[in-house]
């Protein structure tokens, strides 16, 4: 990396580092207490700063800045992505929703196939039972 690339990398970082630090703080806050407990302004800033950070990452990749900066931005944008787009539901809520909503819906949609499976299983058991008593050997 020559001197001009180092200056360009330093200027790029200096222009955007405050926003990255703010995004990192918002991500920590979202990971700690969840988006539901954050202020509206903070959640809006989280989404906006996430988009800016992904743009910065794309630019940093294109102009081949130092690997440490690329690693930092990739990790930061990945964590921010999960805060912005991942479902904000706890595991208990997912399990409860599965048993209360998803599983019954799946059973209602596929009841003919389930019934067909039970009929085939019963016919197989009945056939085996009859064949056993037909020839005991």
């Amino acid at each position: 990396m020559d001197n001009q690339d180092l200056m360009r990398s330093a200027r790029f970082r200096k222009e955007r580092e405050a926003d990255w630090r703010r995004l990192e703080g918002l991500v920590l806050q979202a990971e700690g207490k969840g988006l539901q407990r954050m202020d509206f302004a903070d959640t809006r800033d989280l989404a906006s700063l996430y988009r800016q950070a992904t743009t910065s990452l794309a630019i940093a990749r294109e102009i081949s800045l130092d690997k440490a900066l690329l690693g930092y931005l990739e990790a930061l944008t990945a964590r921010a992505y999960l805060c912005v787009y991942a479902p904000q539901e706890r595991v208990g809520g997912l399990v409860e929703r599965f048993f209360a909503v998803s599983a019954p819906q799946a059973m209602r949609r596929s009841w003919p196939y389930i019934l067909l499976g039970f009929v085939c299983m019963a016919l197989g058991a009945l056939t085996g039972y009859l064949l056993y008593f037909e020839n005991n050997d």
Side-chain angles (χ1 to χ4, degrees):
M1 204 177 225
D2 65 354
N3 194 24
Q4 185 179 8
D5 288 340
L6 288 174
M7 286 180 10
R8 183 172 49 175
S9 177
R11 186 179 57 221
F12 179 83
R13 181 183 291 235
K14 183 181 176 191
E15 290 172 354
R16 294 166 176 84
E17 191 167 18
D19 288 338
W20 299 339
R21 297 290 179 208
R22 171 85 171 121
L23 176 60
E24 190 171 8
L26 290 172
V27 166
L28 283 172
Q29 187 178 356
E31 289 172 344
K33 65 181 186 178
L35 286 177
Q36 294 83 7
R37 294 193 180 112
M38 289 177 65
D39 295 336
F40 174 76
D42 287 343
T43 55
R44 182 191 61 221
D45 290 348
L46 175 66
S48 175
L49 290 171
Y50 164 70
R51 287 189 298 275
Q52 289 175 12
T54 56
T55 302
S56 296
L57 177 59
I59 293 169
R61 283 179 177 161
E62 187 174 315
I63 60 176
S64 300
L65 295 175
D66 62 280
K67 292 195 185 293
L69 178 62
L70 287 174
Y72 170 75
L73 285 175
E74 286 171 354
L76 179 62
T77 55
R79 289 174 55 211
Y81 173 85
L82 290 176
C83 291
V84 172
Y85 292 110
Q88 301 297 318
E89 194 170 359
R90 301 280 184 226
V91 174
L94 290 173
V95 170
E96 180 181 334
R97 186 164 41 98
F98 172 76
F99 285 113
V101 178
S102 300
Q105 282 178 347
M107 295 291 281
R108 282 191 298 272
R109 279 194 311 260
S110 58
W111 72 266
Y113 305 109
I114 294 170
L115 180 63
L116 180 64
F118 277 119
V119 167
C120 288
M121 186 175 65
L123 286 175
L126 179 63
T127 303
Y129 178 77
L130 293 174
L131 286 174
Y132 174 76
F133 282 112
E134 183 180 304
N135 185 1
N136 290 338
D137 295 335

